[in-house]
Amino acid sequence: MSESIQNTAQGQSQADTLLSLTDLVLRFRGQANDVLDGVDLTVKRGEVLCVVGESGCGKSVTAMALMGLLPSNSARVSSGILDVDGSRIDLSCNTLPAEMRGNHVAMIFQEPMTSLNPTFTIGSQIIEAVQRHSGGTKSQARDRALQMLQRVGIANPAQRLSEYPHQLSGGMRQRVMIAMALANDPQILIADEPTTALDVTIQAQILDLIRDLRDETGMGTIMITHDLGVVAEIADTVAVMYGGQVVEQGPVAEVFNNPQHPYTIGLMSAMPQLDDPGTRLVIVPGTVPTVANMPVGCRFRTRCAFATATCETRPPLRDIAQDHQTACHYAPLETNLSVSA
Amino acid sequence: MSHDVILDAENVVKHFGGGDWLSRTPVVQAVDGVSLQVRRGETYAIVGESGCGKSTLARVLMGLLAPTAGHVRFDGRAVGAASGADLQVLRQDMQFIFQDPFSSLNPRMSVGKLVGEPLEVHAPELSAQQRRDRVADLLRKVGLRAEYAGRYPHEFSGGQRQRIGIARALASGPKLIIGDEPVSALDVSVQAQVINLLGDLSRDMGLTLVIIAHDLGVIRHMSDRVAVMYLGQIVESGPTEDVYANPRHPYTRALLGSIPTMGGKPDGQRSTVLGDMPSPTAPPSGCRFHTRCPHAQAKCKTAPPNLKEAGTPDHQAACHFWDTLASAPPIAPTPPKTEAAAARFALYRAAVEGGTVTHKTNQSTERK
């Protein structure tokens, strides 16, 4: 068993895999169900993987678990293998080593105001991050900070270094966060809803920036978002999560043009389109179940119009097209069922 | 051409701060000279980015804030001057839905009490039993079960809470409801339920809706007419179809160009707006958008443009050069789906809308 895992991991690393996560199962203390139930993710060099889903689907918990940011006394990982940069970490007993965190794998968060310390200048916060990982003198670190601020498109970087977070706009704070995250040339950037708190015009600027940096550095990016529009804009591959499981994944064009899972179809139908006004939106009935009430088997079955008794067993994530996997017993729907009015 | 105007704002100005000779806090020019007419029965949307003054405007329209200058008239009555009994009648006719369903419901009141409270004020003649019946009716109208009246807000999800907020707003039998970002705190799948609900209510009950939002997709879907705000002023307004198809103001174009759509965008059609929105304490001279506008010329720095008819009747834009700008690139259409995918979407719609699902195959053939 362990040998076969070893082999597949080696096979993937030849295809430029930067990070792969296998079968992550996680439960919070005091809860009767797993919050994450067997999550697999893979990021290749120069690729943006978008993890998309609604609140409570476990997308942020996945990112936090990857980074080892969850408190070990309340979050219990019962299985999960993380392959990153040639090392293999068993998340059920270890976390990402501190020297890799922020160095090989960096993270940016949704709300840049709460992630920056309001009592320190921008400069001292970036310099601290640089010195912590790369060492060197303070003036070297300061040069690096200047260079990074320039690179993320902040005007007057020298002046900004001595300013405090409250003196910057939301878009600029997010640029500072990105500069700080990328100051140590990480191979992987994990971005948790980096543009959700921003206005659309600023969001477009930040997405452009992330795209440019990816092209420049070849870093792999895991972007967590709830916005299918953002996914279409920036993703190479997409993983759709529901109730702590990946229900569909594949190249973004394939998943969007040929969605297979009823949840993906529902999400796409529920989104008001700019070019299709007036028609009544098709909804996803009900609401996301809480962890305590999570159904057994396919976790979407309580909201799925097509569910049967078969769905009480968990559908495996299986290939449905080239590189495209879905976890539904009845995919492809059009050949396996019919609907009469 | 005259329309049946229900809500009429004339040159509304709302400034905060300053004023006091002791304090040196700068004046925030949140709303600066906004005029608009909302017609009876329509859905009117006000869109803009954070800090453009749209929420302040909503509160002024509602009479929750007194304007620094200008007038708001609702059904012929002045909103700002109303007090006492007049104000109570006005409140009965105009209701508000708030953005955050978590903080806008009192956690210590049961749902029945929350929804029944407006009835106590506006229909004191009802007996307790009649009031309970009305509450049950209202809950059913917004798609909740009547039994929920005994529960408390924390027992509900965000979408359900927003429905409670809507039931509460409907309780007094209003003619107009102002919704400040009524769906933006909700997840996509739940958001669609609330959008459909608001659409049904406005159609069935002849309600006039004023929707404040920043999501252009939602607005396109819900509204008949739209006003785009930038730094306290309306820069473009008109029928929604027309504004989206032929945006005249560079800011509207930038907004439309910035929305990430499922269709994606060809290169070169990306955002053209530079930098951040200036502070409303010191708005730029002339056209307030000139600091970020890719088409700005010398005139824009000095002369503020007025909102004037642009191209088609009822479509107005505040730009000196709207007619010389090249036509805007069309909104990228949603990519065509494969035939099989289209069939799948049709199946999904049919099943959700109450069709009977027949499964053709047995489990054995589904697995590989």
Side-chain angles (χ1 to χ4, degrees):
Chain A
M1 177 68 188
S2 62
E3 213 175 73
S4 71
I5 293 177
Q6 202 75 47
N7 286 340
T8 51
Q10 277 166 3
Q12 281 169 347
S13 67
Q14 286 158 5
D16 260 356
T17 299
L18 285 177
L19 177 147
S20 86
L21 175 70
T22 318
D23 195 28
L24 178 63
V25 180
L26 186 146
R27 175 179 300 203
F28 286 114
R29 175 189 277 194
Q31 285 187 331
N33 272 309
D34 295 326
V35 174
L36 298 179
D37 189 14
V39 174
D40 297 348
L41 296 173
T42 308
V43 195
K44 299 202 180 80
R45 187 176 304 282
E47 182 184 82
V48 178
L49 163 72
C50 274
V51 180
V52 66
E54 297 179 285
S55 350
C57 73
K59 54 194 193 302
S60 291
V61 175
T62 307
M64 301 287 268
L66 269 182
M67 286 296 279
L69 294 178
L70 293 171
S72 55
N73 56 358
S74 67
R76 206 172 185 84
V77 178
S78 52
S79 99
I81 304 288
L82 177 64
D83 285 292
V84 56
D85 192 38
S87 43
R88 158 160 296 201
I89 302 150
D90 185 351
L91 292 176
S92 60
C93 45
N94 289 308
T95 55
L96 193 70
E99 67 268 18
M100 288 179 79
R101 195 185 302 148
N103 205 356
H104 285 84
V105 188
M107 185 160 179
I108 53 178
F109 301 89
Q110 173 172 353
E111 202 358 284
M113 190 63 216
T114 52
S115 337
L116 288 169
N117 189 330
T119 61
F120 288 92
T121 60
I122 301 299
S124 70
Q125 296 184 59
I126 305 181
I127 289 166
E128 182 192 9
V130 174
Q131 283 195 302
R132 175 77 178 73
H133 290 289
S134 317
T137 66
K138 195 162 179 183
S139 81
Q140 283 170 332
R142 192 187 144 82
D143 289 345
R144 178 69 180 154
L146 261 179
Q147 188 193 342
M148 287 313 298
L149 286 185
Q150 243 155 12
R151 193 155 139 202
V152 298
I154 285 183
N156 292 334
Q159 184 201 329
R160 294 294 178 197
L161 276 183
S162 55
E163 289 188 354
Y164 290 87
H166 77 268
Q167 293 170 287
L168 272 59
S169 68
M172 280 213 276
R173 280 181 215 139
Q174 198 55 284
R175 284 173 195 267
V176 169
M177 284 301 295
I178 294 173
M180 199 185 293
L182 300 188
N184 295 301
D185 291 318
Q187 293 177 317
I188 308 271
L189 176 68
I190 300 178
D192 186 359
E193 304 260 14
T195 60
T196 306
L198 307 175
D199 283 315
V200 275
T201 55
I202 309 298
Q203 165 169 290
Q205 295 171 5
I206 297 290
L207 291 180
D208 276 345
L209 173 65
I210 291 178
R211 205 182 286 117
D212 289 348
L213 290 169
R214 174 205 57 189
D215 293 344
E216 217 174 284
T217 62
M219 68 181 179
T221 308
I222 300 178
M223 176 112 128
I224 292 167
T225 180
H226 68 277
D227 186 337
L228 291 173
V230 169
V231 177
E233 197 90 335
I234 198 166
D236 298 302
T237 57
V238 56
V240 182
M241 281 187 76
Y242 184 85
Q245 298 174 341
V246 174
V247 295
E248 181 155 10
Q249 66 180 18
V252 67
E254 168 69 18
V255 172
F256 276 19
N257 296 337
N258 191 21
Q260 294 283 356
H261 197 279
Y263 178 62
T264 318
I265 295 172
L267 263 192
M268 289 175 66
S269 310
M271 209 169 109
Q273 291 298 312
L274 280 177
D275 60 337
D276 178 28
T279 50
R280 195 177 161 80
L281 293 175
V282 185
I283 59 165
V284 182
T287 49
V288 181
T290 57
V291 178
N293 299 322
M294 212 42 103
V296 182
C298 173
R299 291 186 163 188
F300 185 59
R301 72 184 164 88
T302 49
R303 299 177 73 191
C304 180
F306 308 117
T308 62
T310 309
C311 303
E312 283 162 32
T313 54
R314 181 175 173 182
L317 201 59
R318 63 192 164 95
D319 286 335
I320 193 98
Q322 175 87 44
D323 296 329
H324 183 181
Q325 289 109 35
T326 191
C328 176
H329 291 299
Y330 292 106
L333 297 174
E334 70 281 6
T335 59
N336 287 333
L337 50 83
S338 63
V339 179
S340 56
Chain B
M1 194 162 54
S2 79
H3 295 277
D4 185 5
V5 173
I6 186 167
L7 185 69
D8 184 6
E10 199 188 321
N11 222 353
V12 169
V13 177
K14 179 66 195 176
H15 290 178
F16 293 102
D20 189 346
W21 60 276
L22 281 173
S23 76
R24 297 189 55 196
T25 48
V27 177
V28 177
Q29 305 178 16
V31 177
D32 216 20
V34 166
S35 300
L36 56 86
Q37 277 94 34
V38 180
R39 298 167 195 163
R40 196 177 301 276
E42 76 172 349
T43 300
Y44 189 89
I46 301 170
V47 63
E49 295 179 283
S50 36
C52 74
K54 56 191 192 300
S55 292
T56 306
L57 177 62
R59 280 164 174 73
V60 171
L61 291 178
M62 187 68 201
L64 294 175
L65 286 173
T68 311
H71 306 280
V72 180
R73 300 182 72 78
F74 173 76
D75 238 359
R77 286 167 287 171
V79 169
S83 63
D86 283 349
L87 186 63
Q88 191 170 327
V89 176
L90 196 70
R91 287 275 180 271
Q92 189 170 354
D93 289 344
M94 269 174 113
Q95 284 285 332
F96 207 83
I97 304 172
F98 295 90
Q99 170 172 4
D100 183 356
F102 293 86
S103 62
S104 56
L105 298 175
N106 186 340
R108 303 179 65 168
M109 285 166 81
S110 69
V111 169
K113 192 102 178 80
L114 280 165
V115 177
E117 196 182 29
L119 291 172
E120 287 176 34
V121 177
H122 294 297
E125 71 282 2
L126 293 181
S127 71
Q129 183 55 45
Q130 284 171 317
R131 196 157 58 228
R132 273 196 294 275
D133 292 345
R134 281 280 280 280
V135 168
D137 273 351
L138 285 163
L139 289 178
R140 274 192 290 270
K141 204 173 261 173
V142 298
L144 294 173
R145 283 205 291 257
E147 306 89 274
Y148 288 172
R151 298 198 191 168
Y152 285 83
H154 74 267
E155 298 174 68
F156 295 93
S157 67
Q160 288 171 318
R161 279 185 232 203
Q162 200 57 298
R163 287 171 194 264
I164 296 168
I166 295 170
R168 189 171 149 88
L170 290 174
S172 65
K175 293 177 184 157
L176 175 124
I177 291 184
I178 300 182
D180 187 3
E181 304 267 11
V183 296
S184 54
L186 307 175
D187 275 317
V188 184
S189 70
V190 179
Q191 174 179 300
Q193 299 171 5
V194 176
I195 291 175
N196 282 349
L197 172 67
L198 285 171
D200 293 347
L201 291 172
S202 77
R203 200 188 50 239
D204 299 345
M205 306 173 66
L207 280 175
T208 309
L209 291 178
V210 177
I211 301 291
I212 316 285
H214 69 277
D215 185 325
L216 293 142
V218 169
I219 283 175
R220 172 81 193 242
H221 197 85
M222 294 183 77
S223 67
D224 302 308
R225 289 196 304 142
V226 60
V228 182
M229 277 187 83
Y230 185 76
L231 269 183
Q233 298 179 331
I234 292 181
V235 295
E236 182 158 6
S237 74
T240 309
E241 286 291 298
D242 204 21
V243 170
Y244 277 62
N246 297 302
R248 302 293 189 187
H249 196 281
Y251 179 62
T252 314
R253 292 185 182 188
L255 266 189
L256 287 169
S258 308
I259 331 169
T261 58
M262 288 209 269
K265 289 182 194 64
D267 283 340
Q269 261 192 37
R270 292 224 171 81
S271 151
T272 42
V273 186
L274 315 161
D276 296 309
M277 190 188 285
S279 159
T281 55
S285 62
C287 172
R288 293 189 169 187
F289 187 58
H290 84 255
T291 52
R292 300 173 76 194
C293 181
H295 311 287
Q297 300 183 26
K299 186 183 179 187
C300 304
K301 293 191 178 114
T302 51
N306 291 320
L307 205 56
K308 53 181 181 291
E309 194 155 292
T312 46
D314 210 22
H315 187 166
Q316 299 175 305
C319 177
H320 293 302
F321 302 105
W322 69 267
D323 51 350
T324 58
L325 302 179
S327 61
I331 295 163
T334 320
K337 295 174 188 100
T338 60
E339 213 169 285
R344 239 169 272 144
F345 274 85
L347 281 175
Y348 184 84
R349 179 183 274 268
V352 168
E353 287 172 358
T356 322
V357 181
T358 323
H359 296 80
K360 287 179 192 163
T361 48
N362 290 325
Q363 223 176 316
S364 53
T365 51
E366 283 139 28
R367 304 237 182 138
K368 281 193 178 173

